[in-house]
Amino acid sequence: MRTLVIVPTHNEADNIAELLTRVRSAAPTADIMVVDDISSDGTRDRVLDTAQRLGQIRLEPRGRKAGLGDAYRHGFRIGLAEGYDAMVEIDADHSHDPDDLPIMLALAEQGIDLVIGSRYIPGGAVPGWARRRLWLSRWGNRYAAIMLGLAINDATAGYRVYRAETLRAIDLDRIRADGYGFQIEMTYRVVELGLKVVEVPIVFRDRIAGESKMHRRIVIEAFWLITRWGLSDLFTQRRRRRTLELTSPPEPHETDIAHR
Ligand SMILES: Nc1nc2c(ncn2[C@@H]2O[C@H](COP(=O)(O)OP(=O)(O)OP(=O)(O)O)[C@@H](O)[C@H]2O)c(=O)[nH]1
Ligand SMILES: [Mg+2]
């Protein structure tokens, strides 16, 4: 499976070199692409240095800070155009442990359309989170699951493997959200298409170096989008149709009918 690991960055100079080195040891054959949105702290130089040392690493420099969702869509388009079979999403700040990659990639290779590194299934954890933050993240996920009919415990998670066909099946131009909303929107589209999603437990570590880029705006955006999609599903009966489609037995195949 030709794999492209996409790492979005904005001012991650203190993290990126080590992260790239750890990804390389965990997935030695994967290519890596750093999508950097105008870092001013020397992130790009670190990427280029590491690329020279390790090879199979490239930098996609972008002229403005367009958000996490936009950075991933950019990376996905390039990866699809270049014929990769699988694409990985991973944060640069060491919150996601590259040592989880082999099992996630193995599942994708076995045909799972979307593999999610999940904090909220047995074996997953977020050590050291304040009660308020954990509450917001847990209930944000529960709200998304209820409103959108997702049987997924961590739809906001940003550590993922997509098979290329999954990304090809989704109209990336229609995906609008950023941050957590982007992750939920992508999950929602994958489920809507009836594709296979599996959650793998991960331990999510808080960033030690660098600053968080997720602001209140991104949480509010996610909340509004979930509410809008959920209500629109309800009024258009889309959710009911989706559930019926996913639970009803498959139609007899044309050849089966011909043989009868
Ligand atoms: N290219 C690009 N990368 C971004 C942008 N915003 C965030 N990132 C990167 O996306 C990843 C996740 O962002 P974080 O700020 O760590 O968000 P978070 O993990 O929800 O927040 P913390 O828990 O505070 O770390 C990091 O690698 C960031 O550098 C952006 O606008 N463009
Ligand atoms: Mg982070």
Side-chain angles (χ1 to χ4, degrees), residues 7-12 16 34-39 60 62 64-72 90-96 119 129 133 178 180 204-207 209-214 218:
V7 191
T9 55
H10 178 70
N11 293 337
E12 300 285 3
I16 192 66
V34 178
V35 182
D36 183 74
D37 285 5
I38 50 159
S39 290
E60 266 296 306
R62 306 198 317 153
R64 67 185 182 99
K65 187 177 181 317
L68 179 81
D70 196 74
Y72 274 127
I90 186 168
D91 286 357
D93 59 0
H94 298 289
S95 289
H96 301 144
R119 298 161 289 184
W129 271 22
R133 187 171 175 206
D178 189 17
Y180 308 117
F204 181 97
R205 306 272 169 201
D206 255 337
R207 66 160 67 240
E211 273 171 33
S212 172
K213 285 101 207 168
M214 293 301 169
I218 284 175

Side-chain angles (χ1 to χ4, degrees), residues 75-91:
F76 291 158
R77 286 196 187 98
I78 296 176
L80 287 178
E82 295 185 2
Y84 283 94
D85 302 307
M87 281 179 251
V88 175
E89 291 184 2
I90 186 168
D91 286 357

Side-chain angles (χ1 to χ4, degrees), residues 94-113:
H94 298 289
S95 289
H96 301 144
D97 186 348
D99 289 345
D100 293 324
L101 265 180
I103 187 162
M104 292 172 72
L105 288 171
L107 284 165
E109 185 144 32
Q110 284 162 28
I112 304 301
D113 301 298

Side-chain angles (χ1 to χ4, degrees), residues 149 191 194 239-251:
V191 170
R239 176 172 174 159
R240 194 161 157 263
R241 272 205 305 276
R242 188 167 73 231
T243 317
L244 285 176
E245 271 166 26
L246 293 179
T247 51
S248 53
E251 296 283 319

